[in-house]
Amino acid sequence: MRHAAHQAANNSRQYIRTSRSLFSTGSGAHSAKAVRMAQMTQSNGAVLGLDQAVVERLNEVAPQTRRALREAARAAERRSHILTSASLAALVGTAATAAALAGPDDIKGSILADTATTTQLKRITTDVVSRSEDRTPLSALSDGAVTDTAAASQQTAASTDTAQIASEGDWQATGDASQLDVNQMSRSLANNPQVAALMDQDYNVLPAGFNPNHATGDSGNAYSFSQCTWWVYVRRHELGLPVGSYMGNGNMWANSARALGYWVDNTPRHVGDIMVFAAGQAGADGYYGHVAIVEQINPDGSIVTSECGASMNGKTYSKTYTNPGDFQFIHY
């Protein structure tokens, strides 16, 4: 009996617990579920024994309540207001710095100016005249017509006491240009100044294609003392004229000079020309020939020479020839 009564009492207590669980509310503030939710809220939903990364992931996946959604929206709105305020403050600071560094003239038309003004664009029509059609004739300007811009410039110049110089009149060179003698100007390209001067005098009779800077053949006086060739070499150097060092015997000089590019003909032209004698000509040696220097050209066409020979021991003599056309002359 005692055991049966004990079992009956146990069954009665179980029945009472079952009844309470069936008829008791689960949504009350002091229910077990509410107490567990409050505890989890106070601890940010943390569950003892779980890693923090796992807890954060569970919080992301777990469904949120309407209150949590509203609070999240308010937090996002506050962050947006803070960012907007910070951006406006930065822009105002930049504008204030630019205004402080700029001068009064620079402030005009800057960000502080009124931006409400609009620009009206005008359509370009075909009735607009071109630049070439809208010019003032030169005759009007020459008659004294002055544009508004020119008048303003003149007034400004007068106020600043600026001296004005008129450009009216003709520019003329000193003397009459028609009296300029171009023949007095050097037309020669010769490197030797003496040759250049002689070429200017002979400009109209120079051989075609003559090169004044031809080879001279000069490497020093290689002729025997007191010979006619020795004297001609010495005298040509005294006059500043070119001469070769190995022109051969006297009767060979004309051909040797032509080979080097010298101008050779049968007319004496200047003091210093070399007169070439053929072998035996006018008393010259019958084998070697002879050479002399033209020292003077007379009005009648005759010439006066300076000459030397082996028997003169370095001294010179002069002779006059009335038939210069019979001889050859080396010029330069």
Side-chain angles (χ1 to χ4, degrees):
M1 288 300 291
R2 185 176 296 177
H3 294 285
H6 179 71
Q7 184 176 3
N10 291 336
N11 291 335
S12 299
R13 286 194 293 272
Q14 183 177 4
Y15 173 77
I16 293 171
R17 287 197 299 272
T18 303
S19 299
R20 289 178 177 176
S21 63
L22 291 174
F23 295 100
S24 62
T25 177
S27 59
H30 298 287
S31 63
K33 182 178 180 181
V35 172
R36 286 195 300 272
M37 292 297 293
Q39 291 175 352
M40 292 181 66
T41 302
Q42 294 175 359
S43 61
N44 293 327
V47 180
L48 297 178
L50 292 179
D51 186 76
Q52 183 65 28
V54 178
V55 174
E56 293 177 357
R57 181 59 180 167
L58 289 176
N59 290 335
E60 294 177 0
V61 177
Q64 298 181 358
T65 62
R66 293 181 180 179
R67 180 179 180 181
L69 293 175
R70 288 194 299 272
E71 291 179 352
R74 292 192 188 97
E77 186 176 359
R78 286 194 296 272
R79 287 193 298 269
S80 177
H81 286 309
I82 292 173
L83 291 175
T84 304
S85 300
S87 300
L88 290 176
L91 291 176
V92 172
T94 303
T97 302
L101 296 177
D105 296 336
D106 298 332
I107 295 178
K108 296 180 180 180
S110 64
I111 58 175
L112 298 180
D114 184 12
T115 58
T117 304
T118 58
T119 303
Q120 298 294 333
L121 298 179
K122 295 182 180 180
R123 181 183 299 275
I124 298 177
T125 62
T126 57
D127 296 335
V128 180
V129 295
S130 65
R131 182 186 301 177
S132 60
E133 297 174 354
D134 197 29
R135 293 179 177 173
T136 303
L138 294 177
S139 59
L141 295 177
S142 62
D143 293 338
V146 182
T147 62
D148 295 339
T149 304
S153 301
Q154 292 178 359
Q155 294 176 359
T156 303
S159 61
T160 55
D161 296 332
T162 302
Q164 299 292 331
I165 301 176
S167 60
E168 298 177 356
D170 298 331
W171 289 95
Q172 296 182 356
T174 303
D176 189 359
S178 61
Q179 298 178 356
L180 181 61
D181 186 5
V182 296
N183 293 326
Q184 300 299 323
M185 303 173 63
S186 177
R187 292 166 291 186
S188 172
L189 300 177
N191 295 331
N192 187 317
Q194 299 299 326
V195 172
L198 296 178
M199 287 183 64
D200 288 340
Q201 299 177 31
D202 301 332
Y203 180 76
N204 295 325
V205 293
L206 281 173
F210 174 71
N211 177 18
N213 300 314
H214 59 78
T216 63
D218 188 5
S219 60
N221 196 342
Y223 304 104
S224 300
F225 174 73
S226 195
Q227 295 289 340
C228 61
T229 53
W230 168 85
W231 166 245
V232 168
Y233 183 93
V234 171
R235 183 57 175 155
R236 288 278 288 194
H237 269 266
E238 290 178 353
L239 297 174
L241 296 173
V243 62
S245 300
Y246 298 95
M247 306 281 281
N249 298 327
N251 59 349
M252 301 169 59
W253 273 52
N255 292 333
S256 299
R258 286 191 183 94
L260 290 172
Y262 288 84
W263 179 21
V264 182
D265 63 8
N266 298 99
T267 304
R269 301 183 184 277
H270 307 287
V271 173
D273 286 350
I274 302 173
M275 184 177 182
V276 180
F277 295 75
Q281 185 181 11
D285 184 88
Y287 180 79
Y288 296 107
H290 184 59
V291 287
I293 291 291
V294 176
E295 298 289 347
Q296 180 178 331
I297 300 177
N298 298 319
D300 61 358
S302 62
I303 60 174
V304 179
T305 64
S306 65
E307 306 175 31
C308 190
S311 61
M312 299 298 296
N313 196 24
K315 295 180 180 181
T316 62
Y317 61 92
S318 295
K319 290 184 68 173
T320 300
Y321 297 88
T322 59
N323 57 338
D326 295 337
F327 301 86
Q328 297 187 81
F329 296 88
I330 302 172
H331 304 297
Y332 39 79

